[in-house]
Amino acid sequence: MAKPRVGMIGLGIMGSAMAANLLRAGFTVIGYDPLAACRRRHGRAGGALADSAREVACCTDILITSLPSADALVSVAREISREKHPRLIIVETSTLPIPTKQNARKILAAAGVTLLDCPLSGTGAQARTGDLAVYGSGQRAAFRKAAPVLKGFSRSRYFLGAFGNGSKMKFAANLLVAIHNVSAAEAVVLARRSGLNPVLAVKVLGDGAGSSRMLQVRGPMMARRAYGDATMKVEVWQKDMKIIGDFVKQLGSPAPLFSATKAVYNAAMAQGHARHDTAAVCAVLEKPGRKP
């Protein structure tokens, strides 16, 4: 059976990695991003290019969106909805407020488009190797139809039921990411100040009971003090932190450790790390009395 033509709207850190993996899996991937540099990168990887989100929707069966903001999703939904697309399934992978996704779903449904809420667990570095988990929610039949495409860029796929459940799971996952990232930085700083080789310490800690995926993924960056190759920029992470914080507050759910990390990420912004990887929280913790 011929593989479906896949659309990708949003070719940033995550979108470009997903597109590259789909291309390697033999899919035709038609991409669009408002930034010319992102479009050129997709073209160099072997992807086809479109001039607009509407054009992508018109020539694909399964379309993936990886977008930076609520406004971007609503804008894309409105553009696509100007024409009928009765067979189109859109897999929305961004981390955004649930009401925003519900609004986009309503806009697209008027054009016959099925929107799935499918945020991803994993960093940009993990996305490059297909080490992502998909948290799917929405129409089950549409999720099943999209499954071969999802398999092309992910390690695991979970269907969680009603639309919005995928985002709820992502908020819980990213709460852990926020905490584990800072805790990994604390451990690296402690190891360095105690005289241990930080590179070796990350390797050893990663093999112990206190390990986490954030220690394994971001610990090496912290050990090398190398934050420039961002797989999640601090300034983008601030958006995720606000979404999670608002959701926690809405439910009245206790989150003292998550709340404690906010000051560290805010300090990273204030100290010039906005465009660095979130591993730069290690630099924040190191700053007082930093050793060479």
Side-chain angles (χ1 to χ4, degrees), residues 263-275:
V264 185
Y265 291 107
N266 289 340
M269 289 289 293
Q271 293 176 20
H273 296 291
R275 299 186 70 79

Side-chain angles (χ1 to χ4, degrees), residues 47-69:
L49 293 169
D51 293 326
S52 66
R54 184 198 65 80
E55 184 178 336
V56 176
C58 288
C59 60
T60 54
D61 308 297
I62 307 290
L63 192 159
I64 301 166
T65 51
S66 179
L67 302 169
S69 69

